[in-house]
Amino acid sequence: MKRPDKISAGYALALALCWIAATLSGWTPMGTQIDNSASDFMFRLHPPQALKTYSLLLVFDDRTIQLNGGLRRLRETLATGLELIAVGGPRVVAVDITLAEADQETVDGRLEAVFRKLPNLVLPCDLIEGGWQDPLPRFRKPAAAVGHVHADPDPLDSVTRQIPLQKVSGRDRRWALALEAYRLSRGASHILESPAEIEVAGRLIPTGRDPARPLRVRYLAPKDGKSQIPTISIQDLKEKPELAQLASGKVVFVGVTSPSTAKDRLMTPYSYGQAMPGVEIHAQAFETLARGEFLVRASEVWGLLFSASLAAAAGLIFRYLPPWPAYSAAAALLAFVHLFPYWLFRSDILFPYFAPAATAWLSMAVAATYQHFIVRRLLRRTQMEKARYQQAIHFVTHEMRTPLTAIQGSSELMTRFPLTEDKRKQLIEMIHSESKRLARMIQTFLDVERLTEGQLELKKADFPGRELVEACVARARHLAERKRIRIEIERLEDVELHGDRELMEYALYNLLNNAVKYSPPETVVTVNVWQDGATVRIAVRDQGIGMDEKELKNIFKKFYRTKRAEASGEAGTGIGLSLVDQIVTHHGGRVEVTSQPGIGSCFTLVLPAPEPRAVKVE
Ligand code: ADP
């Protein structure tokens, strides 16, 4: 069974954290501000193209106010302007001047009379503390509709990107002035509503589920510093009454634009520090409705999914591609991330900019760094392994020389000199045992490689533990006797083992061999074998040189030898324990080690006990 890959899990977690962090930062004021600035930038990059405008601005500019008695006589001037424009035959007239308080009777009477002459008149209302501030009833009566004149400047940067199409006070709901003007211009009697849209004369206006039903205004870019919506001032109209012809069939928005007078000047994506008068914002909103150019905000879920797939793509790119293709792919992906919102913007979809871009940058950086460190770690590991391997090869070739010299020497003696039968026999035995030692050495090396690559087949059989332990101890005693070391079997339970007996013997013999090798003469090596629940434990304890904690961590690595072992003068390859560990792991067990420098070590093979065999019941 494959062990769960810790590296991959950590990598995926790191990328998921990038995604979460970037998404959260997209919701901070900074993220929102960057999104706004990006949408304004795209707005300027791809301005709406109006081949035709449907409205006209009739305005109180500075000159009109100065030459017509100032603000005190605003209503009289308004009446004059409307009388003149009515001649041109406008389709709708929308007035953005508050008419909530009474003026002189003669003035109001005149204004009322003009209003009566206008068939499609929209008057403004304002939401103030305590409810709606409507026009005086005498003005309200001749009006075809009343619409609110609120804009919706962004709380962060005060830029008006949208207007609320509806506004509610208590149970009294009002549609926007621009929407009412649009309805009347289309000759519709009703505005129909569904949860995410409103419909006017067959045109669907997507508003999303926001209760304010915001409409993104697609402002027409100013041309040569002037609005694209035709604008005439009342004073101009007074001087050239024929200008009224411009209003023919149009929706006329009337309001104050004089910078010194208009209070409701607001910033727009085109402002560059110059604010737009409220009346023009209403006309621009109306133009947006008339052109049917609606900008729809993409749902949050799409934004989240897009960001998540960017993090995943970054992860895959750096995990599976070689370095240079990975960097190129990352650059391409980053370019895509920055262009994608603009591409959608051109299809009238407003997509978040900051969170996906932040996710992409962050996860690319994390993925690249992560992979860089992994590659470096692998490189270091292979370099260390190579160095150790070379050391071992040196050692092995050196080791091989001893038996080879013995074999060469013996065979030479036998061919060159006449020898006694006894001497001959002794030399033949030597050649035999030395060549066997050579073969064993080679076999061990091959076994290590094959076990590591998973090519070595394990034999599977049940066998008694007692036999295994006794055979190994008998073999090790030869070595032990040379150092006057006693091997004592303290406890030997009748345990059953399951697996490859030869390999298991190799493992246990290795432990005994090491115990003897790394112990001073005249010490004791003890062996204990017992069953502990579902496991069988075979422990080999010595009174040898021992190891410290740091050394203990490394002894199962191939070709590792402790300094203490090297200093002891005992020969070794540093392979034995790595092989023991692999054999035991392949059998579903593990090796436990406790050790103290100068006091001794205890190696325990912990193996799963075979399943008890079913007993046949006759
Ligand atoms: P080696 O051929 O060097 O004995 P092993 O893989 O069997 O190789 O052991 C690896 C290293 O672990 C040894 O070189 C030695 O430093 C340490 N070691 C193993 N067994 C013992 C022990 N019983 N006491 C002290 N150190 C040991």
Side-chain angles (χ1 to χ4, degrees), residues 514 517-518 542 555 560-562 565 572-577 601 603:
N514 279 350
K517 219 161 58 167
Y518 300 118
D542 64 45
I555 51 170
Y560 176 83
R561 304 199 72 211
T562 63
T573 52
I575 289 176
L577 280 184
S601 316
F603 284 76

Side-chain angles (χ1 to χ4, degrees), residues 401-415:
R401 239 178 250 151
T402 327
L404 273 176
T405 325
I407 293 169
Q408 256 175 6
S410 311
S411 50
E412 217 173 290
L413 276 178
M414 282 168 69
T415 46

